């Protein structure tokens, strides 16, 4: 994956009437694995949405076929 493009396409948010973005840090343990570490612990009883938009692109420049 193009790491910069993929990081910019990644979003974790609290699933709610007004979604709230969860702040955190992204690391790459290897070239295929994105790891997100939230700044603050997540609430065990809440529901979260993880979004990866079509702005994420493969190392060869191919975009995602659709948002994930």
């Amino acid at each position: 994956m193009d790491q910069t493009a993929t990081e910019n396409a990644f979003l974790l948010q609290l699933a709610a009437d007004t979604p709230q973005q969860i702040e955190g840090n992204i690391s790459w343990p290897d070239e295929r694995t994105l790891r997100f570490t939230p700044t603050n612990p997540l609430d065990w009883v809440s529901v979260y949405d993880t979004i990866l938009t079509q702005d994420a692109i493969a190392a060869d420049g191919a975009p995602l076929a659709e948002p994930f």
Side-chain angles (χ1 to χ4, degrees):
M1 298 298 297
D2 176 309
Q3 292 181 355
T4 301
T6 303
E7 288 178 22
N8 291 332
F10 178 84
L11 173 67
L12 179 67
Q13 65 184 21
L14 181 62
D17 291 334
T18 306
Q20 298 172 346
Q21 184 173 349
I22 305 301
E23 298 297 324
N25 298 303
I26 293 175
S27 60
W28 292 86
D30 60 59
E31 59 188 45
R32 295 180 44 140
T33 306
L34 179 150
R35 180 174 293 152
F36 178 80
T37 305
T39 303
N40 297 306
L42 298 178
D43 184 11
W44 287 96
V45 297
S46 294
V47 176
Y48 298 88
D49 292 322
T50 302
I51 300 166
L52 192 60
T53 70
Q54 287 175 279
D55 294 329
I57 56 175
D60 67 1
L64 289 178
E66 59 187 66
F68 181 74

